[in-house]
Amino acid sequence: MKITELLDIDSIDLSPQVTDKEEAIYHLIDLLDQSGKLNNKELYKESVLNREKQSTTGIGDSVAIPHGQSEGVQTAGLSAMVVKEGLDFKSLDGKPTYLFFMIGAPKDSGGAHLQALAQLSTLLMDEDFRNSLIHASSKEEFLKLIDEKENVKEEVKEVTHPAVLAVTACPTGIAHTFMAAKALQQAGEALNISIKVETNGQEGVKNQLTQEDIEHCKAIIVAADKKVEMARFEGKKVIQVPVRDGISKAQELVEKANNGDGEIYHHEEKKEKQNIIRLFYKHLMNGISHALPFLVTSGVLYGILYLFKDQVLTNQLLILTSNVQQLISIMIIPIISAYIADSIADRPGMLSGFAGGLIVCQGISITSISTSSPSLLAGIIAGFLAGFVSLMLIKLFSYLPQCLKGIEASLFHPIISTIIVALLMFYLNSYLYIGHTYILNYVSFVESQISTKVLFGFVLGMMMAIDNGGPINKTAYVFGIGILISYDYYPMAAVMAGGMIPPFVIALTATLFKDRFEVRNDALMNYINGISFISEGAIPFIQKESQIILPACCLSAGLAGALSMYFNCSIASPHGGLFLIWMVQNPISYLSLIVCSTLVGTILLILFTKLKKES
């Protein structure tokens, strides 16, 4: 849907009489209402103000886009106004706002308002276009400028076959995925090389590469730390790198792809040519990324049940919630096992991986049915075992007569692979639970003594900051998840605290010292990254000054992890950051230690900066 289809001429005002942020919002709502888009103005106003409480919608560069999704909206629409003298809208860049758009979306419109927000934001990145709207002499000219801008954009898309294609994907699908995509797109623009980037994030595949795109491109960059669909690239030149390289080496990668560098990709040979450690990491992260929504949902439901623990046995709704939470928890390890196997052997490995994971989480073994807590380690082993058994069977079944090929995938493979994996896990489970119990006992021993407990938290916190989303960070994160599944919630709180500190340090430093970073707006956005437990927001700044910023972030993140363990803070969810502060045990202490660690990190960063200059 075009912007001009959402924006009526009656909902535009080029000379409004507003003096502050509140008046601006109310006037935009009135404009939307008089264009017939609202059926309950007060209800919609409430949704807009609630959104504004979360964070300002003044996105900077003279623009604000307040928005809301509400039952008070009858039809999706926009209103717009220009304040030629500028208005303090509390924007992220701290500068006056001149150009205002308001988005109204019905409650049941899914992500309609987000799509409109994304489309508007993209158009408004052009400074000349923003200025032309601000200086429009009439409403008709205002609409015409938007229409011309949209049409130019669409024409470019229709006639271009990108020279370079890219796919970005990370385990959580939140930060690295889109940061790498943005970096590659910017590199393409800087080098005047046409590029199209597909993202594999938490919302699924976006901007998907078409077969026509693939046929016409020179090469494909795959910057991913989890499984992506590769068979479609058969016979094309492909450059495969970790997702971090998509961020830090974007220009180099785009240049190589445009020059036709890279190896000819053959789907059947892909696994033999990759580094074994990277392969292990990639398969593991594929399992963890698919299980993450289950882990978060289970943790949140557990937190709700904990709040009402005295009523769980008597309230029917809480009983139902408890049952759902237990079922989701049971699914976590089988999902990890299944998607590890899927990453290794594609779809044929999923069923046996799922069966192996179920055997692990039920504790079934040759000796007895274990009553100990679920073992993530055993689930990971089951996934890898299922994957390699499936690869072996695929090789063996390649010798079958052609007349049996039709039932190989639907009958022979799933039954035989499941039987083999089930028997192996049935035998191995007893020994794996011994190792699992040893790890839990060791963690319990460490947590029983205050000195080792604090040191343990310091190490976990520092690991989360040392490469911000890289292998060391993910090692600490997976360890926290493994212990979390076994119902020890203290390490996860330390891990989450450590991961929030680097972006907070960057943001606070940018707030106190306006000229410290070249792009202050990006630095200030790290407040949102920190609150959301997205430590990757600190990466661009650390990469530029790793000798100064990295030590400050690591030490302060370690301090946060240590204090979290010292104050016995715990959380039952592996993601969510401060949005889930209500789930944290000892929330006041947790907030205090995060503030304290951020201050320490900021002081260290400024101190290290001065020492660097003096030397």
Side-chain angles (χ1 to χ4, degrees), residues 25 38 57 89 107 147 155 158 165 194 209 226 251 314 344 419 457 527 537 546 549 607:
I25 289 174
L38 305 182
T57 53
F89 201 79
K107 188 67 174 178
D147 185 51
E155 287 169 7
E158 287 175 4
L165 302 180
S194 57
L209 306 181
K226 71 172 187 177
Q251 190 159 323
T314 56
I344 296 169
I419 290 172
Y527 279 122
S546 60
I549 300 177
L607 178 61

Side-chain angles (χ1 to χ4, degrees), residues 29-41:
I29 293 172
D30 288 338
L31 289 171
L32 204 56
D33 187 41
Q34 69 189 35
S35 67
K37 297 294 193 298
L38 305 182
N39 55 36
N40 189 323
K41 187 167 75 171

Side-chain angles (χ1 to χ4, degrees), residues 87 142 147 184 222 293 349 392 398 416 429 517 547 587:
L87 183 74
F142 191 90
D147 185 51
L184 290 166
V222 179
M392 179 188 70
S398 66
I416 295 174
N429 236 359
F517 301 112
Q547 292 181 337

Side-chain angles (χ1 to χ4, degrees), residues 360-377:
V360 168
C361 72
Q362 294 300 311
I364 303 171
S365 70
I366 197 169
T367 55
S368 63
I369 296 180
S370 172
T371 57
S372 62
S373 55
S375 169
L376 177 62
L377 176 61

Side-chain angles (χ1 to χ4, degrees), residues 208-267:
Q208 188 167 19
L209 306 181
T210 66
Q211 195 57 43
E212 190 177 0
D213 292 331
I214 295 168
E215 287 173 3
H216 286 84
C217 74
K218 295 179 180 178
I220 302 143
I221 302 163
V222 179
D225 284 341
K226 71 172 187 177
K227 180 189 172 187
V228 297
E229 180 54 51
M230 295 292 292
R232 54 188 165 153
F233 303 142
E234 179 70 33
K236 299 295 294 187
K237 288 188 175 180
V238 175
I239 302 171
Q240 295 191 61
V241 295
V243 70
R244 286 172 62 86
D245 285 0
I247 301 170
S248 60
K249 301 177 181 178
Q251 190 159 323
E252 177 187 335
L253 290 171
V254 173
E255 284 180 332
K256 283 183 176 180
N258 191 56
N259 293 333
D261 294 347
E263 296 183 1
I264 300 294
Y265 181 79
H266 296 295
H267 189 56

